[in-house]
Structure formats: structure tokens, C-alpha cells
Amino acid sequence: MNLQQSAIDAADRIDRFVCETPVVSSEWMSDKTGADVWFKCENLQHTGSFKFRGAVNKLLSLTVGERSNGVVAASNGNHGAAVARAMSLLQTPGIIFVPENAIPTKLESIRGYGAEIRKEGDDCVIAEAAARVYSAENEMAYISPYNDPDVVAGQGTVGIELLNRFPDLNAVFVSLGGGGLISGIAGALKSENGKATIIACSPENSPVMHKSVEAGRILQLDSKPTLSDGTAGGVEDGAITFELCRELVDDYVLLAEEEIAASLRTFIEKEEMTIEGSAAVAIAGFLKQSERWAGKQVVIVLCGGNISPEILASVR
């Protein structure tokens, strides 16, 4: 699987549907750490998350007949909204499975695009299993949030945009859940810039891929509540992103809830822009090892901006 070429092909395929999100310099964080820090603003992508890239690439990779049969997805929220928007744009019927504890505001976003929602289990990996069974029984295409080469290639278009802007980039900090975003970015970047260091950032309360890579096999672990709901939950058995993370990710950082909350508060105060908890994980990850990157060029990927008013109020 040539991840860079797949991402280049995806970029051409989805160009008219997605926006090339801005990369903004952070003067306050650069001054604070001594690094040249930039934010890649996927919180400004359609549906408020990078997930739309992978979702629309997957739907466009299906045949017209496959789309007409309908699609099934499973999601904590952002992937569901992304698939729902892609379904609406491409006039494709489908169903989104979600865990019982999905954030209400993210469910509202999914419904806003006209998609049907079904609740299943208390973890995204349970919802994913139910969605796969349903899709097979009804001969509908399953759209994984991360365990699909077309989805990974779509997320890799973030890396293509970074490569075009920063050919000599030193480090990229990315939040880690199922691994689709970081795998796509790493695959797109490393073919041209082998010196770029890819750092995965996870909440201590739900570090499933992090712990799985450490163990050398995919683990089934319980997750505690976390501000980083976008990265929370289990990893599907046999996920292609497990081996991609093992191969392409250079470093892993775990963050306490207090560190995530502090980064979320500071970012919103300094940048006057909204992000969600999963994006704050990447900021916290950089701050935790910022001394290592003094004098270097660093990009922090802000993976999403979908945060509920209640969660936002709780961290202020």
C-alpha cells in the first residue's frame, strides 16, 4: 500500500468537496517554547473535523451501484457527521450506528444531514461490530472510521497539504484514536520527508492504540470518561492502522485530563477559536515535550472543533 500515492489520488478525487484548511502560525506558543509552531486547522473543515476527508473519499471510491444500495457507518460523532454529509452530497442512503454515550451535539449534527441513527452498546468498537453485521446482512457498504485504506488515504490528504507547505517540517503532533489520521499523515509525509517525526498523543483515560502498540497486539481495554471523546474507545481486531502506527509513528505521548483541559482553555483564550478535546490532546502532547523541539518547525494538527457548550463550560 503506497500511502503517499493513495493520498495524492484521494486529494484529486475529493478536491471539489473539501476545503484546504489553513495552517496558522502561533506566536504565543512559539514564544513560550522556542519552537516555530503552526496549527493545521482541521476544526475548520466541513462538519468541523478531518473525518470528512476520509468519508467522502470512501464514498467516491464506491461504484454507483454500491452507493445506491446504501452505506453503514459507526461513530462517536465526527465520523458519523462526515459520512452523513457525504451521503447527502452524493445522494446515498444509509444508517449511522453510535454508542449509547455519544455526545448529543454530535448526534444532532448527524441528524442535521438527514441520516438515520441507531444506538448500540457503550463503546464505539461495539457499535462498529453491530454496523458491520448489519451492512453484511443487508448488502450495504460499511464505512469504517479508520480501518479502511480509502479512509486512511482521505485523511492522508492532510499530510499532502502539509508537505506542500512545509517540505522540511521537523515534527507533527497528532491525536491518536483508531489511527486513521496519523497513519494517513505519516504515510503521505515520510515518503518525501523521512526526517519528519510523527508524534501520537492520547488521553490516559483511553489509550487503546497506544497500549496496543506497546503490547505488540490489539488489546481490548475499557475506557474511562475523557474530554477527548473523539479519540476514545476500542480498536477493531485486525485494524490496518495498527501495523501502520507500528511502522510509521515515531513517538507516543499520554496526557492526563488536567493537561488536556489546560491546553483547551489556553488555546481558546489565546487563539479565539474553538476546538474540541481531542484537538487539545495534540497541543498538550507538544507542550509536554516542547523542550525537545526548540528551534525546530512543528505542526500541531487540530483534528476537530465540535465541542458541546456543556463541556466547554466545564473546563473554563
Side-chain angles (χ1 to χ4, degrees), residues 165-190:
R165 180 72 180 273
F166 303 109
D168 300 313
L169 183 62
N170 296 114
V172 185
F173 285 78
V174 188
S175 302
L176 174 64
L181 178 61
I182 199 166
S183 296
I185 289 174
L189 278 175
K190 282 182 172 285

PDB file of all heavy atoms in Angstrom, residues 165-190:
ATOM      1  N   ARG A 165       3.248  22.652   1.905  1.00  0.00           N
ATOM      2  CA  ARG A 165       3.518  23.907   2.611  1.00  0.00           C
ATOM      3  C   ARG A 165       4.852  23.880   3.364  1.00  0.00           C
ATOM      4  O   ARG A 165       5.559  24.885   3.429  1.00  0.00           O
ATOM      5  CB  ARG A 165       2.370  24.165   3.592  1.00  0.00           C
ATOM      6  CG  ARG A 165       2.503  25.443   4.425  1.00  0.00           C
ATOM      7  CD  ARG A 165       2.282  26.698   3.601  1.00  0.00           C
ATOM      8  NE  ARG A 165       2.409  27.884   4.417  1.00  0.00           N
ATOM      9  CZ  ARG A 165       1.420  28.440   5.114  1.00  0.00           C
ATOM     10  NH1 ARG A 165       0.209  27.893   5.095  1.00  0.00           N
ATOM     11  NH2 ARG A 165       1.613  29.540   5.820  1.00  0.00           N
ATOM     12  N   PHE A 166       5.184  22.727   3.943  1.00  0.00           N
ATOM     13  CA  PHE A 166       6.387  22.612   4.785  1.00  0.00           C
ATOM     14  C   PHE A 166       7.220  21.404   4.362  1.00  0.00           C
ATOM     15  O   PHE A 166       7.182  20.356   5.020  1.00  0.00           O
ATOM     16  CB  PHE A 166       5.994  22.454   6.257  1.00  0.00           C
ATOM     17  CG  PHE A 166       5.129  23.550   6.807  1.00  0.00           C
ATOM     18  CD1 PHE A 166       3.792  23.316   7.098  1.00  0.00           C
ATOM     19  CD2 PHE A 166       5.648  24.810   7.058  1.00  0.00           C
ATOM     20  CE1 PHE A 166       2.988  24.311   7.622  1.00  0.00           C
ATOM     21  CE2 PHE A 166       4.855  25.815   7.580  1.00  0.00           C
ATOM     22  CZ  PHE A 166       3.524  25.574   7.861  1.00  0.00           C
ATOM     23  N   PRO A 167       7.972  21.505   3.284  1.00  0.00           N
ATOM     24  CA  PRO A 167       8.723  20.337   2.801  1.00  0.00           C
ATOM     25  C   PRO A 167       9.792  19.840   3.769  1.00  0.00           C
ATOM     26  O   PRO A 167      10.204  18.677   3.683  1.00  0.00           O
ATOM     27  CB  PRO A 167       9.343  20.836   1.492  1.00  0.00           C
ATOM     28  CG  PRO A 167       9.352  22.328   1.601  1.00  0.00           C
ATOM     29  CD  PRO A 167       8.144  22.679   2.399  1.00  0.00           C
ATOM     30  N   ASP A 168      10.246  20.702   4.676  1.00  0.00           N
ATOM     31  CA  ASP A 168      11.304  20.309   5.622  1.00  0.00           C
ATOM     32  C   ASP A 168      10.811  20.290   7.068  1.00  0.00           C
ATOM     33  O   ASP A 168      11.587  20.499   8.009  1.00  0.00           O
ATOM     34  CB  ASP A 168      12.497  21.255   5.496  1.00  0.00           C
ATOM     35  CG  ASP A 168      13.099  21.239   4.099  1.00  0.00           C
ATOM     36  OD1 ASP A 168      13.318  20.138   3.567  1.00  0.00           O
ATOM     37  OD2 ASP A 168      13.328  22.329   3.531  1.00  0.00           O
ATOM     38  N   LEU A 169       9.554  20.024   7.253  1.00  0.00           N
ATOM     39  CA  LEU A 169       8.938  20.001   8.573  1.00  0.00           C
ATOM     40  C   LEU A 169       9.664  19.030   9.500  1.00  0.00           C
ATOM     41  O   LEU A 169      10.026  17.922   9.104  1.00  0.00           O
ATOM     42  CB  LEU A 169       7.477  19.584   8.413  1.00  0.00           C
ATOM     43  CG  LEU A 169       6.572  19.549   9.629  1.00  0.00           C
ATOM     44  CD1 LEU A 169       6.439  20.931  10.236  1.00  0.00           C
ATOM     45  CD2 LEU A 169       5.204  19.011   9.210  1.00  0.00           C
ATOM     46  N   ASN A 170       9.868  19.453  10.754  1.00  0.00           N
ATOM     47  CA  ASN A 170      10.575  18.606  11.714  1.00  0.00           C
ATOM     48  C   ASN A 170       9.672  17.647  12.478  1.00  0.00           C
ATOM     49  O   ASN A 170      10.061  16.503  12.764  1.00  0.00           O
ATOM     50  CB  ASN A 170      11.340  19.467  12.725  1.00  0.00           C
ATOM     51  CG  ASN A 170      12.429  20.294  12.082  1.00  0.00           C
ATOM     52  OD1 ASN A 170      12.360  21.516  12.050  1.00  0.00           O
ATOM     53  ND2 ASN A 170      13.442  19.640  11.537  1.00  0.00           N
ATOM     54  N   ALA A 171       8.479  18.102  12.870  1.00  0.00           N
ATOM     55  CA  ALA A 171       7.615  17.257  13.689  1.00  0.00           C
ATOM     56  C   ALA A 171       6.144  17.593  13.495  1.00  0.00           C
ATOM     57  O   ALA A 171       5.796  18.749  13.240  1.00  0.00           O
ATOM     58  CB  ALA A 171       7.973  17.394  15.170  1.00  0.00           C
ATOM     59  N   VAL A 172       5.315  16.563  13.622  1.00  0.00           N
ATOM     60  CA  VAL A 172       3.869  16.729  13.570  1.00  0.00           C
ATOM     61  C   VAL A 172       3.262  16.026  14.781  1.00  0.00           C
ATOM     62  O   VAL A 172       3.546  14.847  15.028  1.00  0.00           O
ATOM     63  CB  VAL A 172       3.256  16.139  12.289  1.00  0.00           C
ATOM     64  CG1 VAL A 172       1.757  16.455  12.217  1.00  0.00           C
ATOM     65  CG2 VAL A 172       3.959  16.647  11.056  1.00  0.00           C
ATOM     66  N   PHE A 173       2.438  16.746  15.530  1.00  0.00           N
ATOM     67  CA  PHE A 173       1.737  16.184  16.679  1.00  0.00           C
ATOM     68  C   PHE A 173       0.288  15.933  16.282  1.00  0.00           C
ATOM     69  O   PHE A 173      -0.399  16.848  15.828  1.00  0.00           O
ATOM     70  CB  PHE A 173       1.815  17.127  17.878  1.00  0.00           C
ATOM     71  CG  PHE A 173       3.163  17.141  18.543  1.00  0.00           C
ATOM     72  CD1 PHE A 173       4.219  17.845  17.987  1.00  0.00           C
ATOM     73  CD2 PHE A 173       3.379  16.427  19.717  1.00  0.00           C
ATOM     74  CE1 PHE A 173       5.471  17.856  18.590  1.00  0.00           C
ATOM     75  CE2 PHE A 173       4.625  16.428  20.327  1.00  0.00           C
ATOM     76  CZ  PHE A 173       5.671  17.141  19.768  1.00  0.00           C
ATOM     77  N   VAL A 174      -0.148  14.687  16.469  1.00  0.00           N
ATOM     78  CA  VAL A 174      -1.480  14.276  16.023  1.00  0.00           C
ATOM     79  C   VAL A 174      -2.164  13.481  17.130  1.00  0.00           C
ATOM     80  O   VAL A 174      -1.554  12.595  17.739  1.00  0.00           O
ATOM     81  CB  VAL A 174      -1.403  13.395  14.757  1.00  0.00           C
ATOM     82  CG1 VAL A 174      -2.792  13.138  14.190  1.00  0.00           C
ATOM     83  CG2 VAL A 174      -0.498  14.023  13.701  1.00  0.00           C
ATOM     84  N   SER A 175      -3.426  13.763  17.372  1.00  0.00           N
ATOM     85  CA  SER A 175      -4.199  12.979  18.329  1.00  0.00           C
ATOM     86  C   SER A 175      -4.428  11.578  17.774  1.00  0.00           C
ATOM     87  O   SER A 175      -4.658  11.397  16.579  1.00  0.00           O
ATOM     88  CB  SER A 175      -5.540  13.660  18.602  1.00  0.00           C
ATOM     89  OG  SER A 175      -5.340  14.967  19.087  1.00  0.00           O
ATOM     90  N   LEU A 176      -4.390  10.584  18.675  1.00  0.00           N
ATOM     91  CA  LEU A 176      -4.487   9.189  18.264  1.00  0.00           C
ATOM     92  C   LEU A 176      -5.710   8.522  18.861  1.00  0.00           C
ATOM     93  O   LEU A 176      -5.876   8.472  20.079  1.00  0.00           O
ATOM     94  CB  LEU A 176      -3.234   8.429  18.720  1.00  0.00           C
ATOM     95  CG  LEU A 176      -3.221   6.915  18.491  1.00  0.00           C
ATOM     96  CD1 LEU A 176      -3.256   6.606  16.996  1.00  0.00           C
ATOM     97  CD2 LEU A 176      -1.995   6.283  19.145  1.00  0.00           C
ATOM     98  N   GLY A 177      -6.585   8.027  17.996  1.00  0.00           N
ATOM     99  CA  GLY A 177      -7.708   7.200  18.404  1.00  0.00           C
ATOM    100  C   GLY A 177      -7.559   5.855  17.714  1.00  0.00           C
ATOM    101  O   GLY A 177      -6.788   4.999  18.115  1.00  0.00           O
ATOM    102  N   GLY A 178      -8.304   5.677  16.611  1.00  0.00           N
ATOM    103  CA  GLY A 178      -8.163   4.460  15.823  1.00  0.00           C
ATOM    104  C   GLY A 178      -6.957   4.460  14.918  1.00  0.00           C
ATOM    105  O   GLY A 178      -6.575   3.413  14.382  1.00  0.00           O
ATOM    106  N   GLY A 179      -6.359   5.631  14.702  1.00  0.00           N
ATOM    107  CA  GLY A 179      -5.117   5.708  13.943  1.00  0.00           C
ATOM    108  C   GLY A 179      -5.242   6.080  12.487  1.00  0.00           C
ATOM    109  O   GLY A 179      -4.239   6.136  11.774  1.00  0.00           O
ATOM    110  N   GLY A 180      -6.443   6.376  12.011  1.00  0.00           N
ATOM    111  CA  GLY A 180      -6.601   6.706  10.599  1.00  0.00           C
ATOM    112  C   GLY A 180      -5.929   8.003  10.212  1.00  0.00           C
ATOM    113  O   GLY A 180      -5.249   8.075   9.176  1.00  0.00           O
ATOM    114  N   LEU A 181      -6.085   9.036  11.023  1.00  0.00           N
ATOM    115  CA  LEU A 181      -5.500  10.338  10.712  1.00  0.00           C
ATOM    116  C   LEU A 181      -3.974  10.289  10.752  1.00  0.00           C
ATOM    117  O   LEU A 181      -3.301  10.720   9.824  1.00  0.00           O
ATOM    118  CB  LEU A 181      -6.019  11.399  11.675  1.00  0.00           C
ATOM    119  CG  LEU A 181      -5.444  12.807  11.503  1.00  0.00           C
ATOM    120  CD1 LEU A 181      -5.764  13.371  10.124  1.00  0.00           C
ATOM    121  CD2 LEU A 181      -5.962  13.742  12.598  1.00  0.00           C
ATOM    122  N   ILE A 182      -3.427   9.759  11.831  1.00  0.00           N
ATOM    123  CA  ILE A 182      -1.972   9.775  11.968  1.00  0.00           C
ATOM    124  C   ILE A 182      -1.308   8.848  10.949  1.00  0.00           C
ATOM    125  O   ILE A 182      -0.233   9.158  10.430  1.00  0.00           O
ATOM    126  CB  ILE A 182      -1.551   9.418  13.414  1.00  0.00           C
ATOM    127  CG1 ILE A 182      -0.115   9.895  13.668  1.00  0.00           C
ATOM    128  CG2 ILE A 182      -1.713   7.941  13.718  1.00  0.00           C
ATOM    129  CD1 ILE A 182       0.283   9.896  15.133  1.00  0.00           C
ATOM    130  N   SER A 183      -1.950   7.729  10.621  1.00  0.00           N
ATOM    131  CA  SER A 183      -1.408   6.827   9.600  1.00  0.00           C
ATOM    132  C   SER A 183      -1.374   7.511   8.235  1.00  0.00           C
ATOM    133  O   SER A 183      -0.383   7.422   7.499  1.00  0.00           O
ATOM    134  CB  SER A 183      -2.251   5.552   9.511  1.00  0.00           C
ATOM    135  OG  SER A 183      -2.190   4.811  10.694  1.00  0.00           O
ATOM    136  N   GLY A 184      -2.482   8.177   7.895  1.00  0.00           N
ATOM    137  CA  GLY A 184      -2.535   8.857   6.607  1.00  0.00           C
ATOM    138  C   GLY A 184      -1.520   9.977   6.498  1.00  0.00           C
ATOM    139  O   GLY A 184      -0.820  10.111   5.485  1.00  0.00           O
ATOM    140  N   ILE A 185      -1.424  10.797   7.553  1.00  0.00           N
ATOM    141  CA  ILE A 185      -0.464  11.900   7.549  1.00  0.00           C
ATOM    142  C   ILE A 185       0.963  11.379   7.467  1.00  0.00           C
ATOM    143  O   ILE A 185       1.782  11.854   6.663  1.00  0.00           O
ATOM    144  CB  ILE A 185      -0.642  12.772   8.808  1.00  0.00           C
ATOM    145  CG1 ILE A 185      -1.947  13.561   8.724  1.00  0.00           C
ATOM    146  CG2 ILE A 185       0.536  13.733   8.980  1.00  0.00           C
ATOM    147  CD1 ILE A 185      -2.277  14.342   9.978  1.00  0.00           C
ATOM    148  N   ALA A 186       1.287  10.386   8.285  1.00  0.00           N
ATOM    149  CA  ALA A 186       2.646   9.842   8.305  1.00  0.00           C
ATOM    150  C   ALA A 186       3.019   9.233   6.967  1.00  0.00           C
ATOM    151  O   ALA A 186       4.135   9.435   6.465  1.00  0.00           O
ATOM    152  CB  ALA A 186       2.775   8.803   9.419  1.00  0.00           C
ATOM    153  N   GLY A 187       2.094   8.486   6.378  1.00  0.00           N
ATOM    154  CA  GLY A 187       2.382   7.868   5.097  1.00  0.00           C
ATOM    155  C   GLY A 187       2.602   8.877   3.994  1.00  0.00           C
ATOM    156  O   GLY A 187       3.468   8.692   3.128  1.00  0.00           O
ATOM    157  N   ALA A 188       1.831   9.958   4.013  1.00  0.00           N
ATOM    158  CA  ALA A 188       1.977  10.997   2.996  1.00  0.00           C
ATOM    159  C   ALA A 188       3.278  11.772   3.162  1.00  0.00           C
ATOM    160  O   ALA A 188       3.937  12.132   2.185  1.00  0.00           O
ATOM    161  CB  ALA A 188       0.786  11.945   3.053  1.00  0.00           C
ATOM    162  N   LEU A 189       3.656  12.035   4.402  1.00  0.00           N
ATOM    163  CA  LEU A 189       4.841  12.860   4.673  1.00  0.00           C
ATOM    164  C   LEU A 189       6.159  12.114   4.530  1.00  0.00           C
ATOM    165  O   LEU A 189       7.117  12.613   3.932  1.00  0.00           O
ATOM    166  CB  LEU A 189       4.769  13.425   6.089  1.00  0.00           C
ATOM    167  CG  LEU A 189       3.922  14.668   6.329  1.00  0.00           C
ATOM    168  CD1 LEU A 189       3.884  14.993   7.811  1.00  0.00           C
ATOM    169  CD2 LEU A 189       4.490  15.862   5.562  1.00  0.00           C
ATOM    170  N   LYS A 190       6.214  10.915   5.073  1.00  0.00           N
ATOM    171  CA  LYS A 190       7.501  10.252   5.229  1.00  0.00           C
ATOM    172  C   LYS A 190       8.152   9.815   3.921  1.00  0.00           C
ATOM    173  O   LYS A 190       9.368   9.658   3.863  1.00  0.00           O
ATOM    174  CB  LYS A 190       7.372   9.068   6.185  1.00  0.00           C
ATOM    175  CG  LYS A 190       7.334   9.488   7.654  1.00  0.00           C
ATOM    176  CD  LYS A 190       7.253   8.287   8.581  1.00  0.00           C
ATOM    177  CE  LYS A 190       7.410   8.687  10.037  1.00  0.00           C
ATOM    178  NZ  LYS A 190       8.792   9.016  10.404  1.00  0.00           N
TER     179      LYS A 190
END
